[in-house]
């Protein structure tokens, strides 16, 4: 009887371990690397000037470039197919139609509009593309109010009114933790997810990507070789550990930065090295120059090396391509994903 009890106990423990292991994924960003530098197509925006902080977004047929470092024309709009210039607008300031402190953009393609988080004006503002084309001095509607104790860092729309956002939660020593939440800007309701981040990470810094199609959101960690995958209800589904994973409280390393769902793949910009280096008498920031590809079950597929430091990127679903802003000699480029289709699938 005693032997039967221990046998059943052993089976229970093994079954429990097996169940836990289902949620664990491991990857080595350096294990399967392919160089795709020659696949990057340069984009020349002719006479348009941008600082090194410019970032791209897709709004239906348009490519929107935001640049918070400029004084005038913080937002520029181009045809996404031809890259022909359409218009620019938005000056730094606190007046009507001006942008005080541009943080990030979110796209609502159903309304053919984008939204700007403006910390200086404590709100989120709506910019319909058609209205901007008619009037470059368009004064946007305030679509949401920002609570200074729960500030959105970024957000992505799930539908017309509901989005998923990373909100800052401040602690008693003045530091913050980004926590994903379901956010209804119309009502102001914020529903924080039950899973707030990896329990071993003391100083969390992440980026967020969501997929309505696959009922998923992911957080990619800036200073840890780590990705967490959750359902849109906030239930942890997978934890992906990189070969350089540790739980140290340090920001000396830069791992992930931008994350995008491209169909049934997650594509993430990755460095896996020190984020700052000495460059003569100054300190230089180093940005991701690789893309890691995962399937929607959290399995690592491949690493694509661009050899160009990536500042921002967006996915043009219609043309099946990624558009980048680079910290490099040429500032913008795109990658046709059909040209690297072998990199997006398992061998």
């Amino acid at each position: 009887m005693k032997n039967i009890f221990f046998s059943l106990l052993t089976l229970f423990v093994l079954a429990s371990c097996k169940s836990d292991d289902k949620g664990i994924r491991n990857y080595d960003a350096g294990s399967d690397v392919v160089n795709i530098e020659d696949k990057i197509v340069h984009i020349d925006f002719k006479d348009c000037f941008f600082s090194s902080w410019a970032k791209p977004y897709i709004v239906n047929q348009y490519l929107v470039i935001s640049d918070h470092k400029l004084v005038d024309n913080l937002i520029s709009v181009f045809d996404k197919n031809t890259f022909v210039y359409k218009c620019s607008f938005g000056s730094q300031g606190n007046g009507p139609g001006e942008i005080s402190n541009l943080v990030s953009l979110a796209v609502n393609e159903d309304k053919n509009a984008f939204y700007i988080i403006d910390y200086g004006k404590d709100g989120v503002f709506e910019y319909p593309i058609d209205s901007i084309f008619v009037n470059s001095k368009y004064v946007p509607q305030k679509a949401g109010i920002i609570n200074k104790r729960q500030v959105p860092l970024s957000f992505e729309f799930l539908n017309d009114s509901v989005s998923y956002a990373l909100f800052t939660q401040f602690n008693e020593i003045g530091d913050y933790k980004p926590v994903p939440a379901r956010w209804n800007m119309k009502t102001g309701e914020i529903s924080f997810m039950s899973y707030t981040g990896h329990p071993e990470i003391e100083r969390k810094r992440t980026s967020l990507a969501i997929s309505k199609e696959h009922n998923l959101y992911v957080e990619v960690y800036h200073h840890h070789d780590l990705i967490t995958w959750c359902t849109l209800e906030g239930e942890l589904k997978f934890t992906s550990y990189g070969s350089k994973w540790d739980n140290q409280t340090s920001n000396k390393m830069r791992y992930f930065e931008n994350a995008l769902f491209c169909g049934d793949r997650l594509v993430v910009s990755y460095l896996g090295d020190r984020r700052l280096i000495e460059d003569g008498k100054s300190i230089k920031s180093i940005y991701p120059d690789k893309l890691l590809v995962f399937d929607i079950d959290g399995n690592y597929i491949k690493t694509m090396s661009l050899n160009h430091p990536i500042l921002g990127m967006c996915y043009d679903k219609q043309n099946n391509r990624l558009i980048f802003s680079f910290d490099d000699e040429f500032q913008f480029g795109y990658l046709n994903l059909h040209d690297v289709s072998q990199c997006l699938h398992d061998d």
Side-chain angles (χ1 to χ4, degrees):
M1 188 63 142
K2 185 176 181 180
N3 290 336
I4 293 175
F5 171 78
F6 280 111
S7 296
L8 291 172
L9 179 62
T10 301
L11 287 173
F12 173 78
V13 172
L14 289 174
S16 299
C17 292
K18 184 176 180 181
S19 176
D20 291 341
D21 288 346
K22 286 183 180 180
I24 302 298
R25 302 289 184 269
N26 295 287
Y27 61 88
D28 180 352
S31 65
D32 192 357
V33 182
V34 58
N35 190 307
I36 61 165
E37 183 177 3
D38 63 338
K39 305 294 185 183
I40 304 297
V41 181
H42 299 190
I43 302 173
D44 183 3
F45 287 124
K46 305 299 181 184
D47 298 325
C48 295
F49 171 79
F50 298 99
S51 80
S52 59
W53 293 92
K55 293 187 177 181
Y57 302 84
I58 293 292
V59 186
N60 291 321
Q61 297 304 309
Y62 302 103
L63 171 65
V64 176
I65 306 290
S66 75
D67 191 340
H68 73 276
K69 287 293 186 180
L70 299 181
V71 176
D72 296 309
N73 296 329
L74 276 65
I75 307 294
S76 294
V77 182
F78 302 83
D79 184 294
K80 75 170 184 180
N81 299 307
T82 63
F83 304 116
V84 170
Y85 172 80
K86 305 297 288 186
C87 71
S88 296
F89 70 95
S91 298
Q92 291 271 11
N94 293 309
E98 294 180 327
I99 301 170
S100 177
N101 187 357
L102 191 161
V103 178
S104 64
L105 268 66
V107 173
N108 187 337
E109 293 199 326
D110 290 340
K111 298 185 71 172
N112 199 35
F114 60 88
Y115 294 69
I116 288 178
I117 298 175
D118 190 334
Y119 285 172
K121 293 186 174 182
D122 295 332
V124 181
F125 296 85
E126 179 182 351
Y127 291 82
I129 293 283
D130 294 336
S131 298
I132 295 166
F133 285 167
V134 173
N135 179 14
S136 62
K137 301 295 184 181
Y138 174 78
V139 177
Q141 297 289 320
K142 198 169 190 176
I145 298 173
I146 292 176
N147 180 338
K148 288 186 179 294
R149 295 190 60 82
Q150 295 177 335
V151 179
L153 296 167
S154 64
F155 65 103
E156 290 188 39
F157 278 94
L158 184 67
N159 55 44
D160 185 39
S161 58
V162 176
S163 64
Y164 277 76
L166 274 182
F167 279 89
T168 55
Q169 288 189 344
F170 291 94
N171 59 26
E172 62 278 0
I173 61 173
D175 194 19
Y176 73 90
K177 179 180 182 178
V179 178
R182 189 179 175 100
W183 181 28
N184 188 320
M185 285 191 298
K186 290 183 178 179
T187 65
E189 181 183 2
I190 302 172
S191 302
F192 287 98
M193 298 293 102
S194 57
Y195 183 80
T196 61
H198 195 285
E200 295 181 35
I201 301 300
E202 182 178 337
R203 190 171 184 270
K204 179 189 176 191
R205 297 293 186 267
T206 58
S207 296
L208 178 75
I210 74 166
S211 172
K212 179 180 179 180
E213 178 185 2
H214 300 297
N215 191 40
L216 282 174
Y217 74 81
V218 300
E219 285 187 271
V220 297
Y221 284 66
H222 296 176
H223 307 305
H224 298 86
D225 206 358
L226 177 71
I227 303 174
T228 53
W229 308 66
C230 295
T231 67
L232 292 181
E233 293 72 41
E235 177 186 351
L236 179 64
K237 195 170 184 181
F238 312 118
T239 303
S240 299
Y241 294 96
S243 60
K244 297 181 181 181
W245 153 253
D246 63 47
N247 60 2
Q248 293 184 15
T249 303
S250 171
N251 64 357
K252 71 177 182 178
M253 299 291 286
R254 190 192 304 273
Y255 289 99
F256 296 105
E257 196 79 22
N258 303 284
L260 297 170
F261 280 100
C262 303
D264 60 356
R265 295 292 181 260
L266 175 72
V267 179
V268 191
S269 63
Y270 181 87
L271 179 63
D273 209 336
R274 297 181 71 92
R275 69 184 185 91
L276 299 173
I277 63 169
E278 292 186 8
D279 185 17
K281 295 182 180 180
S282 62
I283 301 296
K284 181 180 180 181
S285 291
I286 306 300
Y287 296 97
D289 60 356
K290 294 177 283 293
L291 299 175
L292 267 58
V293 182
F294 297 83
D295 66 22
I296 58 170
D297 291 319
N299 299 305
Y300 165 78
I301 295 176
K302 202 168 295 271
T303 298
M304 298 188 288
S305 176
L306 280 65
N307 290 330
H308 299 296
I310 303 165
L311 291 175
M313 65 184 194
C314 60
Y315 178 51
D316 178 0
K317 181 179 179 180
Q318 185 180 42
N319 292 314
N320 194 30
R321 64 186 177 188
L322 293 171
I323 298 176
F324 303 96
S325 57
F326 295 116
D327 181 29
D328 213 342
E329 292 179 3
F330 68 93
Q331 196 169 1
F332 299 96
Y334 67 85
L335 171 67
N336 285 316
L337 293 183
H338 59 75
D339 290 341
V340 292
S341 58
Q342 75 280 2
C343 301
L344 301 177
H345 298 87
D346 297 300
D347 293 334

